[in-house]
């Protein structure tokens, strides 16, 4: 932060702008715009909507206890229909499923999540389809809240708030919960404020059946640069909905609880999978994203470019360090000019700048202030670089965590 | 998951396009950053690479040194230097073929790198006046070690007296091997502590009428046979009242001074010496009773560099005071602007008493870079204790803080060490 001030000082004194300062300003301007939109978000739909609802749960290798609890919570929500599609037979889980009288089970040979979902879809009868992961728990009245927006015929898809259950069990769960909390209160809120949410995430999302049914072939045989799309089914469904002119909305009053990775390796794999499909689908939506509100394209494209800018700033800083370019003439020869001071004060400064942007989260979860440096490191050294890696390997289709 | 299906050439191209876009995006942001960084340093990435080319050359030499090779490299000179006295080293050099110019070498190539003064280069050449140079070259290596950078120029004062009047070609050559170019303040007197004592045997009129021609011609020939660039600062501070060659001393008139200068220049020209650069270095008296600087300017075709002596005397000497570099240099620089020649601060230093020497250095050097584009070389006057002015601490390491400040200031690549030029081997 001291360096930030120094940079401003040099800007005024020497009329020289540091690259990092440009990056810093860019981050803040983009953030402020997005934040402004997120602040404008209001829950629009509060009236109950009476309709028929089918819940489809594609299932593959789940922990039996969690599977049972999650299923029980769904049954308690009392939808019209629950269809479990087993992607390859699993006797243990099938038995649990059969113990719930209302639940339909379909077993298919192992063919991927998309096929499992499609199989459920063609067998479903409800006007609204809820796609739910087998590890996601729905609290009471969750479905009732979730389908409220469909009272508006323009709405094609809805996403709830997504939380991690037992977030304090280990640091990965804690960080994952933080990431989800940010997604809810920032990304989903900002995009929700213009009723154009770019991704209705897989743990739980609701669609109008007719929209997906009309594009089922596209959904199943989607290709990107000649490779069949396997992962990113949630982004795909969202794209189909948006492309047909429907709105996708964020219903903050509906909350679901889902499981998280517990091991770092799996966390990493999940992140790279998300990075791949997120950027891939952003590119695929290039042809129509500008027909949506401008903020939508701004959001997606700034997210696409940001990691490149960030990594470039890191590289430039390193180059400057090696070649002694772009130094601070004002502090040369004082303790302020030493590398250690730069690194430490820089880290504190970044924490501060970052912390301000995380204030709303920290207010919701005060204990996380101690985790801020960890979260910062995860974001800066995993979440952002992984997007670059994802960009160059975006045709890779492995689930890796399934 | 059947993803290995045929992608098709068209898609491969598209995919390549996307990846290329990603790479370009990254490169774009990096270049933008480097460019913005360069704006501050007033130099581009290419300059930085070019600068580091010398380091690379040195590095290659170091590696080649490991392999047995007859040709001498900088490191071998250095090694010989540090272990043995100068005379041995001179023997080593004189062992080389006479007509072959000493060349520092990227061996096994058809060209060699030679140190030059390139006025096109962005930056200020760094130099030093050192204790007992040209006596002990080790002092130069020790100094360079101390300041963390190789200097481009080493400056010494040499008088015309019988004691030590020859052009020290062996030393100049071995310095050149090291990458260093010499600046010699060529003083027509016999050095004495009693400055103002007239020395009639060295009258400017006598020089102008050819009394010293054999001696001057000897120098011209020696410099020509050396072949590398040499800077000569003849009869400096001639508008002061302390040297016998100054206007008004030894009965010297302004006209005689200019004639002497021109005469020496002409003798060198007759000997077809093209590797000498003339430094005209007055004290820049604006309203001095002795003479005004502009009345003793020999003329554009006789002068290559404009020289200055910039000292912050501090308060050690009672009649002096602490001044910033800007204060000392600013008005002189303005006066010198009209000649539109490269400027060399042939003597530059600061005392310890009366202010912060480290601040003086840092601020001064930053200002040199920012405000004085015509200044192309600076020479730190690094006598440990002033030879001629008792208690003033001129040396760069007069205190650890001063040394650290100096190291830091010159770490800026704008302050140039030796620059090299590739020339073919004959």
């Amino acid at each position: 932060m001291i360096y930030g001030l120094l940079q401003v000082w040099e800007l005024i004194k020497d009329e020289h702008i540091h690259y990092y300062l440009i990056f810093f300003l860019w981050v803040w301007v983009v953030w402020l715009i997005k934040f402004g939109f997120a602040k404008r978000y209001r829950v629009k739909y509060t009236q109950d909507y009476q309709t028929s609802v089918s819940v489809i749960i594609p299932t593959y290798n789940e922990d039996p206890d969690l599977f049972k609890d999650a299923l029980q919570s769904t049954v308690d929500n009392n939808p019209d229909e629950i269809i479990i599609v087993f992607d390859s037979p699993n006797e243990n889980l099938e038995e649990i499923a059969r113990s719930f009288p209302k639940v339909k089970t379909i077993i298919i040979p192992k063919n991927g999540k998309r096929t499992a979902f499609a199989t459920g879809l063609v067998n479903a009868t409800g006007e609204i389809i809820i796609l739910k992961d087998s590890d996601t728990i729905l609290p009471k009245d969750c479905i009732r809240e979730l389908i409220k927006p469909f009272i508006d015929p323009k709405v094609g898809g809805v996403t709830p708030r997504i939380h991690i259950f037992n977030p304090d069990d280990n640091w990965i769960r804690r960080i994952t919960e933080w990431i989800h909390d940010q997604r809810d209160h920032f990304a989903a809120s900002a995009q929700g404020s213009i009723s154009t949410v770019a991704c209705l995430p897989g743990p739980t999302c609701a669609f109008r059946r007719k929209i997906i049914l009309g594009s089922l072939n596209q959904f199943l045989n989607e290709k990107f640069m000649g490779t069949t799309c396997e992962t990113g089914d949630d982004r795909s469904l969202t794209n189909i909905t948006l492309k047909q002119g429907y709105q996708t909305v964020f219903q903050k009053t509906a909350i679901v609880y889902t499981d998280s990775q517990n091991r770092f390796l799996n966390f990493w794999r999940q992140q790279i999978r998300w990075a791949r499909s997120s950027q891939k689908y952003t590119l695929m939506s290039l042809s129509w994203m500008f027909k949506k509100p401008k903020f939508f394209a701004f959001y997606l494209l700034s997210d696409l470019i940001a990691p490149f800018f960030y990594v470039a700033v890191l590289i430039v800083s390193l180059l400057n360090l090696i070649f002694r370019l772009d130094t601070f003439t004002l502090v040369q020869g004082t303790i302020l000019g030493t590398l250690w001071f730069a690194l430490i004060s820089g880290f504190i400064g970044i924490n501060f700048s970052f912390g301000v942007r995380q204030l709303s989260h920290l207010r919701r979860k005060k204990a996380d202030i101690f985790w801020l440096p960890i979260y910062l490191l995860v974001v800066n050294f995993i979440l952002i670089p992984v997007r670059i890696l994802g960009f160059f390997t975006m045709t890779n289709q492995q689930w890796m965590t399934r | 998951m059947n993803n290995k299906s045929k992608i098709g050439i068209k898609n491969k191209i598209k995919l390549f396009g996307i990846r290329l876009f990603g790479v370009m995006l990254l490169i774009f942001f990096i270049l933008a950053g480097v460019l913005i960084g360069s704006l501050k340093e007033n130099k581009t990435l290419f300059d930085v690479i070019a600068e580091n080319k010398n380091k690379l050359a040195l590095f290659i030499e170091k590696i080649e040194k490991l392999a047995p090779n007859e040709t001498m490299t900088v490191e071998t000179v250095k090694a010989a230097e540090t272990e043995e006295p100068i005379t041995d080293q001179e023997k080593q050099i004189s062992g080389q073929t006479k007509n072959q110019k000493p060349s520092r070498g990227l061996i096994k190539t058809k060209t060699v790198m030679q140190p030059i003064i390139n006025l096109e280069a962005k930056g200020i050449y760094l130099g030093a006046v050192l204790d007992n140079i040209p006596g002990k070259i080790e002092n130069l290596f020790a100094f360079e070690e101390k300041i963390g950078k190789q200097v481009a120029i080493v400056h010494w004062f040499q008088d015309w007296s019988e004691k030590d009047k020859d052009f020290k070609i062996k030393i100049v050559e071995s310095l050149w091997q090291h990458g260093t170019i010499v600046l010699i303040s060529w003083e027509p007197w016999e050095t004495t502590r009693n400055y103002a004592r007239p020395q009639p045997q060295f009258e400017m009129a006598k020089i102008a009428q050819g009394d010293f021609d054999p001696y001057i011609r000897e120098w011209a020939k020696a410099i020509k046979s050396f072949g590398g660039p040499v800077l000569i600062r003849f009869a400096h501070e001639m508008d002061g009242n302390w040297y016998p060659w100054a206007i008004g001393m030894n009965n010297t008139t302004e006209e005689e001074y200019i004639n002497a200068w021109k005469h020496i220049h002409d003798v060198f020209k007759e000997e077809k010496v093209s590797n000498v650069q003339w430094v005209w270095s007055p004290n820049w008296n604006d309203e001095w009773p002795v003479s005004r600087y502009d009345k003793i300017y020999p003329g554009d075709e006789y002068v290559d560099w404009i020289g200055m002596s910039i000292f912050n005397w501090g308060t050690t000497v009672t009649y002096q005071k602490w001044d910033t570099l800007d204060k000392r240099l600013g008005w002189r620089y303005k006066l010198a602007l009209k000649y539109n020649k490269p400027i060399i601060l042939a003597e530059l230093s600061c005392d310890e008493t009366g202010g912060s020497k480290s601040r003086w250095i840092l601020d001064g050097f930053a200002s040199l870079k920012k405000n004085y584009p015509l200044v192309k070389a600076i020479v730190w006057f690094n006598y440990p204790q002033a030879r001629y002015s008792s208690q003033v601490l001129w040396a760069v390491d007069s205190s650890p803080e001063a040394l650290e400040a100096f190291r830091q200031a010159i770490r800026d690549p704008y302050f140039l060490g030796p620059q090299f030029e590739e020339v073919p081997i004959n």
Side-chain angles (χ1 to χ4, degrees), chain A residues 235 239 280-290 300:
Chain A
R235 246 336 257 281
N239 270 10
K280 183 168 77 180
Y281 279 96
T282 296
L283 289 181
M284 284 165 84
S285 55
L286 271 176
S287 60
W288 52 267
M289 65 160 68
F290 296 100
L300 291 187

Side-chain angles (χ1 to χ4, degrees), chain B residues 137-348:
Chain B
I137 300 195
E138 295 93 315
N139 287 1
L140 171 64
F141 304 144
F143 178 73
E144 287 173 341
E145 191 76 15
K146 202 176 273 173
I147 63 167
K149 197 168 195 165
Q150 206 179 323
V151 296
I153 297 168
V154 70
H155 176 190
W156 69 71
F157 299 82
Q158 203 173 340
D159 67 22
W160 290 25
S161 69
E162 288 302 321
K163 268 185 280 174
D164 193 23
K165 62 181 212 175
D166 294 339
F167 180 70
K168 301 176 190 309
I169 186 161
K170 296 283 148 51
I171 290 165
V172 173
E173 278 179 350
S174 54
L175 282 167
W176 204 40
Q177 290 274 354
H178 178 63
T180 321
I181 288 167
V182 298
L183 160 65
I184 300 171
S185 283
W186 207 20
E187 306 176 317
W189 71 329
E190 186 180 347
T191 310
T192 165
R193 281 184 159 271
N194 187 2
Y195 275 39
R197 181 165 62 88
Q199 300 189 2
Q201 70 271 34
F202 295 111
E203 268 177 26
M204 285 288 126
K206 287 182 179 161
I207 296 171
Q209 72 191 31
D211 288 7
F212 288 88
D213 278 10
Y215 172 57
I216 297 166
R217 219 169 280 281
E218 218 172 87
W219 268 61
K221 283 176 178 158
I223 289 173
K224 193 185 175 194
S225 84
F226 159 59
V230 174
L231 277 67
I232 292 192
R233 182 169 173 248
F234 171 72
H236 61 283
E237 295 170 16
M238 71 303 276
D239 53 344
N241 63 352
W242 44 89
Y243 287 120
W245 57 77
I247 313 303
M249 314 283 286
N250 273 359
N251 304 319
T252 306
T253 65
E254 283 144 353
E255 200 189 349
E256 279 167 4
Y257 178 85
I258 291 176
N259 285 343
W261 182 289
K262 285 182 174 171
H263 180 72
I264 292 174
H265 190 275
D266 290 344
V267 171
F268 272 71
K269 208 170 169 187
E270 276 167 32
E271 292 294 332
K272 297 191 170 57
V273 182
S274 58
N275 53 326
V276 68
Q277 300 179 25
W278 296 100
V279 182
W280 175 74
S281 191
N283 194 48
W284 298 96
N285 291 317
D286 205 3
E287 292 166 56
W288 197 261
V290 179
S291 175
R292 263 175 62 104
Y293 65 95
D294 55 355
K295 292 190 186 150
I296 37 172
Y297 180 62
D300 282 347
E301 61 271 41
Y302 295 95
V303 172
D304 300 295
W305 289 78
I306 304 292
M308 289 174 190
S309 308
I310 303 293
F311 288 103
N312 172 29
W313 288 80
T315 51
T316 305
V317 182
T318 45
Y319 55 87
Q320 290 281 2
K321 65 181 197 328
W322 186 274
D323 272 335
T324 62
L325 187 140
D326 284 319
K327 189 101 182 280
R328 293 271 168 175
L329 172 60
W331 63 271
R332 286 185 169 93
Y333 183 80
K334 258 183 216 148
L335 296 178
L337 272 178
K338 71 171 179 186
Y339 298 116
N340 196 26
K341 299 252 182 202
I343 292 172
I344 179 167
L345 309 189
E347 299 174 39
L348 168 68

Side-chain angles (χ1 to χ4, degrees), chain A residues 64-95:
Chain A
D65 290 337
L66 178 55
F67 177 74
K68 194 178 173 189
D69 288 352
L71 191 53
Q72 182 67 55
S73 74
T74 315
V75 170
D76 292 346
N77 262 276
N78 208 16
D80 299 289
E81 190 175 41
I82 299 173
I83 304 170
I84 300 180
V85 185
F86 288 101
D87 186 11
S88 77
N90 186 325
E91 277 180 28
N92 199 0
L93 297 184
E94 283 166 37
E95 206 185 308

Side-chain angles (χ1 to χ4, degrees), chain A residues 308 388 391-392, chain B residues 16-28:
Chain A
F308 289 93
I388 301 265
F391 186 90
F392 291 108
Chain B
F16 176 75
I18 286 178
R19 287 180 180 157
L20 190 68
F21 170 76
V23 173
M24 298 299 275
L25 199 63
L26 199 59
I27 291 174
F28 166 77

Side-chain angles (χ1 to χ4, degrees), chain A residues 159-322:
Chain A
T159 178
R161 269 166 77 172
I162 299 166
H163 284 276
I164 304 298
F165 56 80
N166 303 340
D168 299 342
D169 277 7
N170 57 49
W171 71 273
I172 293 177
R173 292 189 85 86
R174 187 177 265 270
I175 296 295
T176 314
E177 163 69 7
W178 195 334
I179 294 168
H180 280 87
D181 184 71
Q182 275 299 296
R183 176 260 169 195
D184 291 344
H185 290 90
F186 193 73
S189 295
Q191 296 165 1
S193 71
I194 52 164
S195 300
T196 317
V197 180
C199 179
L200 311 182
T204 298
C205 49
F207 293 96
R208 269 182 217 281
R209 187 166 64 107
K210 63 172 184 189
I211 301 172
I212 311 301
L213 216 47
S215 304
L216 204 54
N217 199 36
Q218 185 201 331
F219 176 64
L220 284 174
N221 300 303
E222 196 162 40
K223 295 220 169 185
F224 175 73
M225 302 283 144
T227 49
T228 313
C229 297
E230 186 64 38
T231 54
D233 52 297
D234 44 8
R235 246 336 257 281
S236 173
L237 290 171
T238 316
N239 270 10
I240 287 167
T241 311
L242 285 172
K243 208 173 159 185
Q244 291 186 27
Y246 287 95
Q247 294 179 341
T248 50
V249 303
F250 171 49
Q251 186 68 358
K252 207 173 184 173
T253 48
I255 303 174
V256 303
Y257 293 89
T258 193
D259 198 7
S260 137
Q261 307 297 338
N262 292 313
R263 285 175 46 223
F264 180 74
L265 190 63
N266 286 342
F267 174 74
W268 165 260
R269 286 168 171 166
Q270 186 185 45
Q271 289 302 329
I272 192 160
R273 194 182 75 218
W274 288 358
R276 279 172 183 153
S277 48
S278 138
Q279 296 181 93
K280 183 168 77 180
Y281 279 96
T282 296
L283 289 181
M284 284 165 84
S285 55
L286 271 176
S287 60
W288 52 267
M289 65 160 68
F290 296 100
K291 292 173 191 153
K292 298 286 170 189
K294 286 193 181 60
F295 176 68
F296 178 67
F298 169 80
Y299 202 109
L300 291 187
L301 294 180
S302 62
D303 267 12
L304 187 73
I305 291 167
F308 289 93
F309 199 174
Y310 168 82
V311 169
V313 167
L314 278 189
I315 293 173
V316 168
S317 306
L318 209 66
L319 283 178
N320 286 345
L321 199 67
I322 294 169

